[in-house]
Amino acid sequence: MDNHSADMVELGPHTHVLVTGGAGFVGSALVDLLLARDCNVTIIDDLSNGSLGNLPASDPRLTIHTFRIGDPAFNAAVGHAVGQADAVFHLASPIGVQLAHKERFAVTSGILESGCAIVEACRLHRRPLLYTSSSEVYGSGRDRPITEADPVMTDLRPRWGYAAAKAAVEHLVAGLFFDFGIPTWIVRPFNMAGPRQSPATGLVLPVFVSAALKGEPLVVHDDGEQRRAFLHVADAAEGLLLVMRSRSLRGRPVNLGGSEALQIGNLAKMVVEAAKTKAPIVRKPSNAIFGERFAVTYDRVPDTGLLTKTTGWRPLRSTKQIITDCIEHMRTERVMA
Ligand SMILES: NC(=O)c1ccc[n+]([C@@H]2O[C@H](COP(=O)([O-])OP(=O)(O)OC[C@H]3O[C@@H](n4cnc5c(N)ncnc54)[C@H](O)[C@@H]3O)[C@@H](O)[C@H]2O)c1
């Protein structure tokens, strides 16, 4: 099927979809969903944080490329893969607050270089592009749900290099739509969690689950009252597909996140209970972990009204379900290891 100039991106049988970062946590869930719709899928992933074990590698509808997007040596290969695709989901990115804080240069340049390579290929081949930005662009958070109208706020503390780079690529992606008429979507995910998320990146839920399963302390930062809303990765992948089907969401940011706001201290208690462990919960100041220049984030809860209103999307899985699935996945991984 060639739907390059189609009014609507059809994500059905024989549509060819490119997913960058497809061996990662969210990317692989998206690949599962696209294959279930009988799409042909190509992924590009440098395996810096992803794993081929996340993918059904023997599926004949799946093509896997393992190189770094943004490395000039692979620009032609990126262009070719984009040219072959009917639509592109650009998820490849370094992730995690820990990495953003510690390796600002590598994280910022990684997002910009890969973003520029994909945007340029989509501009040349006129391919629809959905870009996963991040709720980090909203900065330190608010004491109420955050809407897309809230300002993008960062300063020069190391953590925000990730956010500033994501925001810069958002402009390129918006420019593709407004300046060149190419359909694009900008999604700002909040905390996503579930099976296949690795504790290595320091993301709170897999770190808690990993500690609980080992009977080690669950370290809650600061007073533990900071609130987040977790979204199951399967609900997130459904959301990404629905966004790309929406005309009215083109060229503008849309939040994607969970609906149950929860204090991190309470999340730790839920994990301990679900894992049936005696692991202790301890508190530590985030500055003692990351240093004085760390930018602390208080409440960061999304208002997802725009997404629900325009697409009918709603999260179907509870926080409890996310925790159970996370525990189940990590237990199985350990048994298999
Ligand atoms: N997980 C979350 O809670 C969350 C929140 C906000 C935004 N996001 C965004 O969602 C997207 C997916 O995140 P995720 O949680 O699945 O992360 P992930 O690390 O599991 O997936 C990203 C994948 O991209 C690959 N990658 C990184 N840089 C690359 C490059 N230059 N070339 C090729 N491959 C590269 C990694 O190996 C990894 O497999 C990312 O863009 C991330 O910034 C995630």
Side-chain angles (χ1 to χ4, degrees), residues 21 23-27 44-50 67-69 91-95 110 114 132-135 162 166 189-192 197 203:
F25 164 59
V26 181
I44 307 177
D45 198 302
D46 66 359
L47 304 182
S48 53
N49 196 40
F67 57 77
R68 186 169 76 80
I69 303 166
L91 276 65
S93 169
I95 64 148
S114 56
T132 53
S133 177
S134 172
S135 58
Y162 170 92
K166 286 280 190 187
F190 286 62
N191 295 70
M192 301 184 280
Q197 195 170 35
L203 297 173

Coordinates of all heavy atoms in Angstrom, one line a residue, residues 21 23-27 44-50 67-69 91-95 110 114 132-135 162 166 189-192 197 203, ligand 1:
G21 N 14.1 3.0 17.6 CA 14.0 2.6 19.0 C 13.1 1.5 19.2 O 12.6 1.2 20.3
A23 N 13.6 -1.7 19.5 CA 14.0 -2.8 20.4 C 13.9 -2.3 21.8 O 14.2 -3.1 22.7 CB 15.4 -3.2 20.1
G24 N 13.4 -1.1 22.1 CA 13.3 -0.6 23.4 C 11.9 -1.0 24.1 O 11.2 -1.8 23.5
F25 N 11.7 -0.4 25.2 CA 10.6 -0.7 26.1 C 9.2 -0.4 25.4 O 8.4 -1.2 25.1 CB 10.8 0.0 27.4 CG 9.5 0.2 28.2 CD1 8.9 -1.0 28.7 CD2 9.1 1.4 28.6 CE1 7.8 -0.8 29.5 CE2 8.0 1.5 29.4 CZ 7.3 0.4 29.8
V26 N 9.1 0.9 25.0 CA 7.8 1.3 24.3 C 7.8 0.9 22.9 O 6.8 0.4 22.3 CB 7.6 2.8 24.4 CG1 6.3 3.2 23.8 CG2 7.6 3.3 25.9
G27 N 9.0 1.0 22.2 CA 9.1 0.7 20.8 C 8.7 -0.8 20.5 O 7.9 -1.1 19.6
I44 N 14.8 0.4 13.6 CA 16.2 0.8 13.7 C 16.5 1.0 15.1 O 15.8 1.8 15.8 CB 16.6 2.1 12.9 CG1 16.1 2.0 11.4 CG2 18.1 2.3 13.0 CD1 16.3 3.3 10.6
D45 N 17.5 0.3 15.7 CA 17.9 0.5 17.1 C 19.4 0.2 17.2 O 19.8 -0.8 16.7 CB 17.0 -0.5 18.0 CG 17.0 0.0 19.4 OD1 18.1 0.0 20.0 OD2 15.9 0.2 20.0
D46 N 20.1 1.1 17.9 CA 21.5 0.8 18.1 C 21.8 -0.1 19.3 O 22.9 -0.3 19.7 CB 22.3 2.1 18.2 CG 21.9 2.9 19.5 OD1 21.0 2.4 20.3 OD2 22.5 4.0 19.7
L47 N 20.7 -0.5 20.0 CA 20.8 -1.5 21.1 C 21.6 -0.8 22.3 O 22.1 -1.6 23.1 CB 21.4 -2.8 20.7 CG 20.7 -3.5 19.6 CD1 21.3 -4.9 19.3 CD2 19.2 -3.7 19.9
S48 N 21.6 0.5 22.3 CA 22.3 1.2 23.5 C 21.5 0.9 24.7 O 22.0 0.9 25.8 CB 22.5 2.6 23.2 OG 21.2 3.2 22.8
N49 N 20.2 0.8 24.6 CA 19.3 0.4 25.7 C 18.3 -0.6 25.4 O 17.6 -1.1 26.3 CB 18.7 1.7 26.3 CG 18.1 1.5 27.7 OD1 18.8 0.9 28.5 ND2 16.9 2.0 28.0
G50 N 18.2 -0.9 24.1 CA 17.1 -1.9 23.7 C 17.8 -3.3 23.7 O 18.9 -3.5 23.9
F67 N 21.8 0.1 14.0 CA 22.9 1.1 13.9 C 22.4 2.4 14.6 O 21.2 2.5 14.9 CB 23.3 1.4 12.4 CG 22.1 1.8 11.5 CD1 21.6 3.1 11.5 CD2 21.6 0.9 10.6 CE1 20.6 3.5 10.7 CE2 20.6 1.3 9.8 CZ 20.1 2.5 9.8
R68 N 23.3 3.3 14.7 CA 22.9 4.5 15.5 C 22.4 5.6 14.5 O 23.2 6.0 13.6 CB 24.1 5.1 16.3 CG 23.8 6.3 17.2 CD 24.9 6.6 18.1 NE 26.0 7.3 17.5 CZ 26.0 8.6 17.2 NH1 25.0 9.3 17.5 NH2 27.1 9.1 16.6
I69 N 21.2 6.0 14.7 CA 20.6 7.1 13.9 C 21.3 8.4 14.4 O 21.4 8.6 15.6 CB 19.1 7.2 14.1 CG1 18.4 5.9 13.8 CG2 18.5 8.4 13.3 CD1 17.0 5.8 14.3
L91 N 11.1 7.0 18.1 CA 11.2 6.8 19.5 C 12.6 6.8 20.0 O 12.9 6.9 21.2 CB 10.4 5.5 20.0 CG 8.9 5.6 20.2 CD1 8.2 5.9 18.9 CD2 8.4 4.2 20.7
A92 N 13.5 6.5 19.1 CA 14.9 6.3 19.5 C 15.4 7.5 20.2 O 15.3 8.7 19.8 CB 15.8 6.1 18.3
S93 N 16.0 7.3 21.4 CA 16.5 8.4 22.2 C 17.2 7.9 23.5 O 16.8 6.8 24.0 CB 15.3 9.2 22.7 OG 15.6 10.2 23.7
P94 N 18.2 8.5 23.9 CA 18.7 8.2 25.2 C 17.7 8.5 26.2 O 16.9 9.5 26.0 CB 20.0 9.1 25.4 CG 20.0 10.1 24.3 CD 18.9 9.7 23.3
I95 N 17.5 7.8 27.3 CA 16.4 8.1 28.3 C 16.9 8.1 29.7 O 18.0 7.5 30.0 CB 15.2 7.1 28.1 CG1 15.6 5.7 28.5 CG2 14.6 7.2 26.8 CD1 14.5 4.9 29.1
G110 N 22.7 13.3 21.4 CA 22.1 12.1 20.9 C 20.7 12.4 20.4 O 20.3 11.9 19.3
S114 N 19.9 12.4 16.2 CA 19.0 11.4 15.7 C 17.7 12.1 15.2 O 17.1 11.8 14.2 CB 18.6 10.3 16.7 OG 18.1 10.9 17.9
T132 N 8.1 11.0 19.7 CA 7.9 11.0 21.1 C 8.9 12.0 21.8 O 10.1 11.7 21.9 CB 8.1 9.6 21.7 OG1 9.3 9.1 21.3 CG2 7.0 8.6 21.3
S133 N 8.3 13.1 22.3 CA 9.1 14.0 23.1 C 9.0 13.5 24.5 O 9.2 12.3 24.8 CB 8.4 15.4 22.9 OG 9.1 16.4 23.7
S134 N 8.8 14.4 25.5 CA 8.7 14.0 26.9 C 8.0 15.0 27.7 O 8.1 16.2 27.5 CB 10.1 13.8 27.4 OG 10.1 13.5 28.8
S135 N 7.4 14.6 28.8 CA 6.9 15.5 29.8 C 8.0 16.3 30.5 O 7.7 17.3 31.2 CB 6.0 14.8 30.8 OG 6.8 13.8 31.5
Y162 N 18.3 17.1 28.2 CA 17.3 16.2 27.6 C 16.1 16.9 27.2 O 15.6 16.8 26.0 CB 17.0 15.0 28.6 CG 15.9 14.1 28.3 CD1 16.2 12.9 27.6 CD2 14.6 14.3 28.6 CE1 15.2 12.0 27.3 CE2 13.6 13.4 28.4 CZ 13.9 12.3 27.7 OH 12.9 11.4 27.4
K166 N 14.7 17.7 23.4 CA 13.4 17.2 23.0 C 12.5 18.3 22.4 O 11.9 18.2 21.4 CB 12.7 16.5 24.2 CG 13.2 15.2 24.6 CD 12.7 14.1 23.6 CE 13.0 12.7 24.1 NZ 12.7 11.6 23.2
P189 N 5.0 12.0 26.4 CA 4.6 11.0 27.3 C 5.1 11.4 28.8 O 6.1 12.0 28.9 CB 5.4 9.8 26.9 CG 6.0 10.1 25.5 CD 6.1 11.6 25.5
F190 N 4.2 11.0 29.7 CA 4.6 11.1 31.1 C 5.2 9.7 31.5 O 5.7 9.0 30.7 CB 3.4 11.6 32.0 CG 3.1 13.0 31.8 CD1 2.7 13.5 30.5 CD2 3.1 13.9 32.8 CE1 2.4 14.9 30.3 CE2 2.9 15.3 32.6 CZ 2.5 15.7 31.4
N191 N 5.1 9.3 32.8 CA 5.7 8.1 33.2 C 5.0 6.9 32.6 O 3.9 6.6 32.9 CB 5.7 7.9 34.7 CG 6.6 9.0 35.4 OD1 6.2 10.2 35.4 ND2 7.7 8.6 35.9
M192 N 5.8 6.1 31.8 CA 5.2 4.9 31.2 C 5.9 3.7 31.9 O 7.1 3.9 32.3 CB 5.5 4.8 29.7 CG 4.8 6.0 29.0 SD 5.0 5.9 27.2 CE 6.6 6.5 26.9
Q197 N 10.6 -3.0 30.8 CA 11.3 -1.8 31.3 C 12.4 -2.2 32.2 O 12.2 -3.0 33.1 CB 10.3 -0.8 32.0 CG 10.9 0.6 32.1 CD 9.9 1.6 32.6 OE1 9.0 1.2 33.4 NE2 10.0 2.8 32.1
L203 N 14.8 4.3 36.2 CA 13.3 4.7 36.2 C 12.7 4.0 37.5 O 12.9 2.9 37.8 CB 12.6 4.3 34.9 CG 13.2 5.1 33.7 CD1 12.5 4.6 32.4 CD2 13.0 6.6 33.8
Ligands
LIG1 N1 9.6 5.6 29.4 C1 9.1 6.7 29.8 O1 8.5 6.8 30.8 C2 9.2 7.9 28.8 C3 8.7 9.1 29.3 C4 8.8 10.2 28.4 C5 9.3 10.1 27.2 N2 9.7 8.9 26.7 C6 10.2 8.8 25.4 O2 9.6 7.7 24.7 C7 10.6 7.0 23.8 C8 10.7 5.6 24.2 O3 11.2 5.4 25.5 P1 11.5 4.0 26.1 O4 11.1 4.1 27.6 O5 11.0 2.9 25.3 O6 13.1 4.0 26.1 P2 14.1 2.8 25.7 O7 15.5 3.2 26.0 O8 13.6 1.5 26.1 O9 13.9 2.9 24.1 C9 14.7 3.8 23.3 C10 15.4 2.9 22.3 O10 16.2 3.8 21.4 C11 17.4 3.2 21.1 N3 18.3 4.3 20.7 C12 18.7 5.3 21.5 N4 19.4 6.2 20.7 C13 19.4 5.7 19.5 C14 20.0 6.1 18.2 N5 20.7 7.3 18.1 N6 19.9 5.3 17.2 C15 19.2 4.1 17.2 N7 18.6 3.7 18.4 C16 18.7 4.5 19.5 C17 17.8 2.4 22.4 O11 18.7 1.4 22.2 C18 16.4 2.0 22.9 O12 16.1 0.6 22.5 C19 11.9 7.8 24.0 O13 11.9 8.8 22.9 C20 11.7 8.5 25.3 O14 12.5 9.7 25.3 C21 9.7 7.8 27.6

